[in-house]
């Protein structure tokens, strides 16, 4: 990002050009040298000072902008805050939009009402009207999805923002930054709901390692964003300018203030900001308006499949994988991935002095905590088996090459072949859960798979049971693991094999055949 370097180079020149001990300044011989900054070579001009014929005694800086720079440099010298949050608001058009469903007078009245209850400057202007109408006309489907998803994230955002006295409307910033995708990654590497760069995340206490990326943790990243925004507001004293600095860096905001003649209102300096930042605040305000008046525009507030208050966390005491948790608790792997997005490989490590937690639906928390020792023993046994190149039940000659189709995801494919998500990732060197249509995956099926052009279903062979058999009727809250614990010597795989089960889902009332020991 250019602004990281431009602010440093700019103020190096200022320091070299303007000496506090000289009465006049002029440009003379220029010495050019190369300097290495952040691994990139930049040309820096060192300018000698001498008296010039125009007899300028002193160049006046903008006092307000200079004060902001002074405050910001206190932060800059201790840590490089220019590796900062960055997510473009691309190609925003401010052309007039024909959208008769929202009359300009109605919009003006609503914006005035919104302006009265928020510290942000939500005054009407044609550019903001254009963005709002464009979103309402062209992005209705996406907005409805975001409104539904926000029912999960916004309660946790509001709690963290309130702790740091940040306006609760800042929650809408995560929509502009990441579209509420915890694992969103920009083209420059900014990651998570609040789009932290690697070094900025580290500076604000977000752990980033091979296993964990806390920039994707909804609560920890929101706390970090609140701390950063609080600093910016303390420096700029204006929430609009704080958001602009959050996006483009404080240096670009102070330069825009200077170039606009000292104006302090975002809308007056917008034309001097980088292109993406010029569209950043309008996008934020447009989303704020639409969410605040969602019902008036026909959007529905649908309850999400999982609400934040319907989940809880447990601190892990041993290494465990999400697919092991899925198998033991009966919770779908996709739900666990949604609730635990900071674990990059779907593995929760156990590291001394680190408090890694597992978020679960509240309905399975009790069973997990009550059976912790058995669960971790099961996980350890699984990890010990994985020391081998391939588990014993795999035949390398039976491998399948699967071509990813539209609508596929790892959980769906894993159930199709009776394997785990982590296995598919391991066999194919996948570092995330993302798949591309047409991508080829190598899979070693746990069960025979019959494929055809018209069907994607798999057949499962049921292994015969020797000896006497009992029938177990599945109850509400049962999982394969909890049932296996009721019968000594019976494993999860035994139950699957005897009953031709793929995956781990059970339904109350289902009858299972189990060998009597």
């Amino acid at each position: 990002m250019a602004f990281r370097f431009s602010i440093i180079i700019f103020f190096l020149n200022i320091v070299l050009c303007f000496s506090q001990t000289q009465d006049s300044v002029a440009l003379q011989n220029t010495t050019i040298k190369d300097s290495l900054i952040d691994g990139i070579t930049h040309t820096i001009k060192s300018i000698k000072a001498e008296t010039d014929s125009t007899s300028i005694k002193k160049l006046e800086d903008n006092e307000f902008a200079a004060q902001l720079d002074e405050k910001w440099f206190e932060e800059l010298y201790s840590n490089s805050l220019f590796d900062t949050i960055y997510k473009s608001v691309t190609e925003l058009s401010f052309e007039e939009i024909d959208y008769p469903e929202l009359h300009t007078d109605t919009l003006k009245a609503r914006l005035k009402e919104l302006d009265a209850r928020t510290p942000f400057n939500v005054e009407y202007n044609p550019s903001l009207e254009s963005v709002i109408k464009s979103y309402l006309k062209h992005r209705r489907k996406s907005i409805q999805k975001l409104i539904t998803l926000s029912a999960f994230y916004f309660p946790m955002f509001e709690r963290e923002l309130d702790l740091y006295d940040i306006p609760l409307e800042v929650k809408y910033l995560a929509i502009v930054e990441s579209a509420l995708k915890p694992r969103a990654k920009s083209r420059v590497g900014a990651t998570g709901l609040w789009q932290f760069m690697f070094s900025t995340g580290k500076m604000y206490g977000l752990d980033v390692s091979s296993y964990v990326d806390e920039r994707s943790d909804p609560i920890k990243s929101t706390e970090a964003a609140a701390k950063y925004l609080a600093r910016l507001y303390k420096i700029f004293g204006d929430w609009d300018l704080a958001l602009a600095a959050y996006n483009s860096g404080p240096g670009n905001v102070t330069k825009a203030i200077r170039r606009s003649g000292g104006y302090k209102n975002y809308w007056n300096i917008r034309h001097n900001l980088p292109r993406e930042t010029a569209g950043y605040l309008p996008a934020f305000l447009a989303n704020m308006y639409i969410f605040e008046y969602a019902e008036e525009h026909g959007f529905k507030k649908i309850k999400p499949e999982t609400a934040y208050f319907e989940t809880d966390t447990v601190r892990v005491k041993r290494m465990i994988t999400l697919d092991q948790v899925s198998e033991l608790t009966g919770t779908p792997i996709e739900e666990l991935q949604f609730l635990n997005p900071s674990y990059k490989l779907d593995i929760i490590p156990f590291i001394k002095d680190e408090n890694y937690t597992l978020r679960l639906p509240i309905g399975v928390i009790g069973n997990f905590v009550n059976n912790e020792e058995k669960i971790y023993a099961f996980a350890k046994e699984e990890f010990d088996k994985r020391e081998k190149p391939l588990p014993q039940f795999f035949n390398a000659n039976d491998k399948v090459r699967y071509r990813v189709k539209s609508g596929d995801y790892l959980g769906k494919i894993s159930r199709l072949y009776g394997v785990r998500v982590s296995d598919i990732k391991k066999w194919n060197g996948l570092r995330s859960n993302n798949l591309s249509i047409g991508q080829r995956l190598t899979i070693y099926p746990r069960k025979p798979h019959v494929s055809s052009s018209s069907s994607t279903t798999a057949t499962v062979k049921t292994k015969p049971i020797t000896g006497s058999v009992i029938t177990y009727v599945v109850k509400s809250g049962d999982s394969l693991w909890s049932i296996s614990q009721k019968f000594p010597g019976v494993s999860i795989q035994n139950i699957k094999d005897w009953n031709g089960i793929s995956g781990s889902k059970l339904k109350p009332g289902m009858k299972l055949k189990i060998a009597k020991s």
Side-chain angles (χ1 to χ4, degrees), residues 157 180 202 226 280 317 418:
F157 289 172
L180 297 181
K202 284 282 192 181
Y280 188 73
K317 297 179 180 178

Side-chain angles (χ1 to χ4, degrees), residues 163-178:
L163 286 174
Y164 290 90
D165 293 325
I166 304 296
L168 299 186
E169 293 86 356
V170 167
K171 64 191 177 186
Y172 299 120
L173 191 64
I175 293 171
V176 181
E177 290 285 353
S178 64

